[in-house]
């Protein structure tokens, strides 16, 4: 008796009671099994009345559910003509969300499998036909889409603009939904890539790599100011001094190359050590009186 409230509300029989298997006593559509009749004969008048009320409510609920299911079935079947023609799921039917029951590529959703079980044999055959036709239509459409996309790949790898790539392939403005200008796949391109054959995928990846290399070579990264060593003087000043004093110019250029951490070019003929202070070598035979021992010559 404790499970009759759930039974009236349309719960599944297994969920009406945690301790009693309802399906051994009552049916889903509000009727009694043989064991249910035997149990009812042993009930009090009050409990019989309570059981009879629950059975009546259950029958009404079941009938309403059948009517609702019939309406869904009719709407589902009515949208199959558009579904077979490849119309978008949203456009197949105005009074039912077909995407709850069917996929775009011709398969049943979980809710669609539930509805399928309730169909008559003829209606099941009709739905099976629509699913098979939809698969063929989508497969053909995908094949054409891949062909157009593959035509785009060659000019794309050569660095052509997306507009030019799209006009050559027939994708036109839609090409921006497949490819990025710098070299990569957009969401629509990724979905199409997953449907390609391995050799086609290899061609696409190769084209993207070429596009990226070309973009990098044509647009090298700029050298930032903080990456450049500061010169203590301008090269123009060196050029001006070259006419006046070549020796000074050589010293200045040497300082520039040392400042930037580079070797002095060999064709200048200026060794690095030339910028060090010059110390003359004095031989023993050149020592004069000034350099003699302060105490005079040794004996």
């Amino acid at each position: 008796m404790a499970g009759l409230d759930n039974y009236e509300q349309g719960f599944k029989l297994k969920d009406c009671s945690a301790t009693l298997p309802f399906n051994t006593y009552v049916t889903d559509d509000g009727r009694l099994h043989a064991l249910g009749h035997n149990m009812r004969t042993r009930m009090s008048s009050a409990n019989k009345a309570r059981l009879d009320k629950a059975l009546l409510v259950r029958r009404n609920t079941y009938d309403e559910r059948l009517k609702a299911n019939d309406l869904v079935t009719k709407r589902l079947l009515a949208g199959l003509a558009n579904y077979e023609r490849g119309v978008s799921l949203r456009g197949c039917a105005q009074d039912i969300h077909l995407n709850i029951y069917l996929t775009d590529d011709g398969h049943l959703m979980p809710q669609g499998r539930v509805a399928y079980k309730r169909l008559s044999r003829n209606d099941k055959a009709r739905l099976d036909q629509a699913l098979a036709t939809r698969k063929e239509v989508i497969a053909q459409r995908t094949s054409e889409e891949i062909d157009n996309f593959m035509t785009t790949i060659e000019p794309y790898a050569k660095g052509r603009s997306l507009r030019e790539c799209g006009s050559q392939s027939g994708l036109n403005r839609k090409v921006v939904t497949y490819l990025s200008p710098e070299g990569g796949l957009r969401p629509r391109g990724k979905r199409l890539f997953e449907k390609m054959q391995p050799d086609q995928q290899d061609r696409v990846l190769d084209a993207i790599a070429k596009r990226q290399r070309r973009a990098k070579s044509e647009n090298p990264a700029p050298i930032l100011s903080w990456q450049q060593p500061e010169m203590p003087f301008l090269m123009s000043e060196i050029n001006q001094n070259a006419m006046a004093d070549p020796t000074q110019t050589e010293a200045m250029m040497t300082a520039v190359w040392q400042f930037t951490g580079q070797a002095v070019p060999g064709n200048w003929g200026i060794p690095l050590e030339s910028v060090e202070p010059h110390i003359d070598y004095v031989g023993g035979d050149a020592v004069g009186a000034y350099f003699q021992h302060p105490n005079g010559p040794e004996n």
Side-chain angles (χ1 to χ4, degrees):
M1 302 298 294
L4 292 181
D5 288 339
N6 289 338
Y7 186 67
E8 286 179 331
Q9 296 175 31
F11 280 50
K12 293 181 179 180
L13 296 181
K14 64 178 182 178
D15 298 329
C16 289
S17 174
T19 59
L20 184 69
F22 255 55
N23 61 335
T24 61
Y25 299 94
V26 296
T27 65
D28 188 53
D29 58 353
R31 306 185 187 280
L32 289 172
H33 286 303
L35 289 178
H37 282 290
N38 292 338
M39 179 179 287
R40 185 179 182 279
T41 59
R42 300 193 300 269
M43 289 180 179
S44 64
S45 299
N47 286 341
K48 286 180 181 178
R50 176 71 185 93
L51 176 58
D52 291 343
K53 175 181 176 295
L55 292 171
L56 178 61
V57 172
R58 183 73 178 199
R59 284 196 294 269
N60 291 336
T61 301
Y62 187 82
D63 291 341
E64 291 175 0
R65 190 168 57 190
L66 284 180
K67 291 178 182 178
N69 290 338
D70 289 342
L71 181 60
V72 169
T73 299
K74 290 179 181 178
R75 291 175 175 176
L76 176 61
L77 295 173
L80 293 182
N82 288 332
Y83 186 69
E84 288 177 319
R85 289 196 292 267
V87 177
S88 67
L89 295 178
R90 181 176 297 180
C92 286
Q94 297 180 351
D95 48 7
I96 187 175
H97 296 290
L98 212 64
N99 61 335
I100 298 176
Y101 303 93
L102 308 174
T103 67
D104 183 66
D105 57 353
H107 295 87
L108 289 171
M109 295 287 285
Q111 192 67 21
R113 288 192 288 270
V114 173
Y116 184 86
K117 295 177 181 179
R118 298 194 299 262
L119 297 177
S120 65
R121 179 179 300 177
N122 290 337
D123 290 341
K124 286 181 179 179
R126 175 72 184 92
L127 180 53
D128 289 339
Q129 175 189 340
L131 292 172
T133 303
R134 180 78 175 195
K135 289 185 179 74
E136 294 176 0
V137 170
I138 296 302
Q140 178 63 30
R141 181 181 296 173
T142 301
S143 178
E144 294 174 356
E145 185 180 9
I146 290 177
D147 289 343
N148 289 336
F149 183 84
M150 299 308 294
T151 305
T152 306
I153 287 303
E154 184 175 352
Y156 184 72
K158 295 179 179 179
R160 302 289 189 270
S161 68
L162 292 184
R163 176 179 296 182
E164 184 177 353
C165 294
S167 63
Q168 291 186 22
S169 65
L171 294 177
N172 298 319
R173 294 182 179 179
K174 293 189 297 183
V175 71
V176 297
T177 63
Y178 294 88
L179 298 166
S180 64
E182 63 276 6
L185 292 173
R186 292 271 172 80
R188 190 169 182 175
K190 292 178 181 178
R191 291 194 296 270
L192 188 63
F193 182 83
E194 294 173 355
K195 300 175 183 178
M196 295 179 182
Q197 297 297 322
D199 62 319
Q200 294 173 324
Q201 292 179 340
D202 290 341
R203 289 176 57 192
V204 172
L205 294 177
D206 182 63
I208 291 175
K210 289 180 179 178
R211 178 88 176 192
Q212 292 173 345
R213 288 196 297 268
R214 183 178 295 273
K216 187 175 181 180
S217 64
E218 293 178 354
N219 300 283
I223 300 177
L224 302 179
S225 59
W226 60 267
Q227 295 176 313
Q228 298 175 337
E230 296 182 2
M231 295 296 181
F233 39 77
L234 298 177
M235 295 300 294
S236 60
E237 296 179 5
I238 298 176
N239 294 335
Q240 293 174 1
N241 293 331
M243 299 296 296
D245 187 352
T247 304
Q248 182 181 0
T249 300
E250 291 179 352
M252 294 176 66
M253 292 303 298
T254 301
V256 171
W257 282 84
Q258 288 178 326
F259 184 83
T260 58
Q262 302 182 56
V264 178
N267 57 4
W268 284 3
I270 309 175
L272 287 176
E273 58 269 24
S274 66
V275 299
E276 298 293 333
H278 180 71
I279 301 176
D280 292 331
Y281 172 76
V282 179
D285 56 348
V287 176
Y290 182 81
F291 291 97
Q292 295 179 359
H293 193 278
N295 296 325
E298 296 181 343
N299 296 325

